[in-house]
Amino acid sequence: DATQMPKDVWSAAGSAATIAVFKDKDGGEILNSAGDPLEGAERESTEFVLTLTKCYANMAWSGIAKSHTNAVNNAEWNGSEARTWKASFRSAQKKEMTSSASDATKIFWEVTWEFHYREEKWDFKPWDVGFNQRVGSDGTPSASGSGRAAILGTDKKPVRSPVALGGGVALPAGSAPEALTFKLYREADFSVFGNPS
């Protein structure tokens, strides 16, 4: 039938972005010669982007746009692990198609989605550094402490630059900091888009 819904159309492209960088290509932390993290370090990254043009018989796409825009995949999708793809709604256009055989008209929505891939996942990973540390009730640094106290330098004054932390406690001078991981994007089921083909 000439009024059948158009098939999904997938395409791919690259997209350049500047992203924060904490580790080198071998996984080593990016530090200055004193062992402090280099804040504000960035690199250019080219992301792999898939585009899907999918047709819907009704406004069902609008609910998907609300739940999936700025969401990451909650499970493996397109051969990649969870949280590596982020979806974006791009556009929707109402269209009609008429069958030449029957003069029947079909109304549908042509919707475009984009999916950006990041191998290191779509998580925020800042250095675990700070000016304060956790302390116990007696003021002694403790990862299980419920109090907070300024980190003091060798001069017994509060430090002027952030110090590497481990479990909320200042690490010895020259210790490499570790990155914390925060999940900023909600997770969604990407099977609603089908599989790229």
Side-chain angles (χ1 to χ4, degrees), residues 70 83 122-124 182-186:
N70 281 324
R83 305 191 63 75
W122 284 90
D123 295 331
F124 177 53
F182 297 94
K183 295 179 177 179
L184 300 182
Y185 299 99
R186 67 182 176 275

Side-chain angles (χ1 to χ4, degrees), residues 35-83:
D36 295 327
L38 290 176
E39 295 186 46
E42 297 178 329
R43 71 174 169 94
E44 185 177 303
S45 175
T46 302
E47 295 176 346
F48 175 47
V49 181
L50 286 173
T51 302
L52 168 63
T53 301
K54 188 174 186 72
C55 296
Y56 297 82
N58 53 43
M59 290 286 292
W61 62 267
S62 66
I64 298 169
K66 292 173 188 172
S67 64
H68 285 66
T69 295
N70 281 324
V72 295
N73 56 313
N74 68 353
E76 183 177 314
W77 185 73
N78 192 32
S80 303
E81 62 183 293
R83 305 191 63 75

Side-chain angles (χ1 to χ4, degrees), residues 161-181:
S161 59
V163 172
L165 301 172
V169 175
L171 295 175
S175 296
E178 293 185 11
L180 299 169
T181 300

Side-chain angles (χ1 to χ4, degrees), residues 53-131:
T53 301
K54 188 174 186 72
C55 296
Y56 297 82
N58 53 43
M59 290 286 292
W61 62 267
S62 66
I64 298 169
K66 292 173 188 172
S67 64
H68 285 66
T69 295
N70 281 324
V72 295
N73 56 313
N74 68 353
E76 183 177 314
W77 185 73
N78 192 32
S80 303
E81 62 183 293
R83 305 191 63 75
T84 54
W85 289 97
K86 183 167 72 76
S88 298
F89 166 75
R90 283 293 164 230
S91 65
Q93 185 174 11
K94 192 173 187 178
K95 296 195 167 202
E96 62 180 58
M97 180 173 33
T98 305
S99 167
S100 56
S102 65
D103 262 358
T105 300
K106 177 175 268 198
I107 304 293
F108 65 95
W109 286 88
E110 184 179 83
V111 181
T112 303
W113 309 93
E114 277 188 0
F115 307 92
H116 291 250
Y117 176 74
R118 273 201 188 154
E119 183 177 5
E120 65 273 10
K121 299 185 180 179
W122 284 90
D123 295 331
F124 177 53
K125 296 185 177 185
W127 287 122
D128 188 5
V129 296
F131 295 93

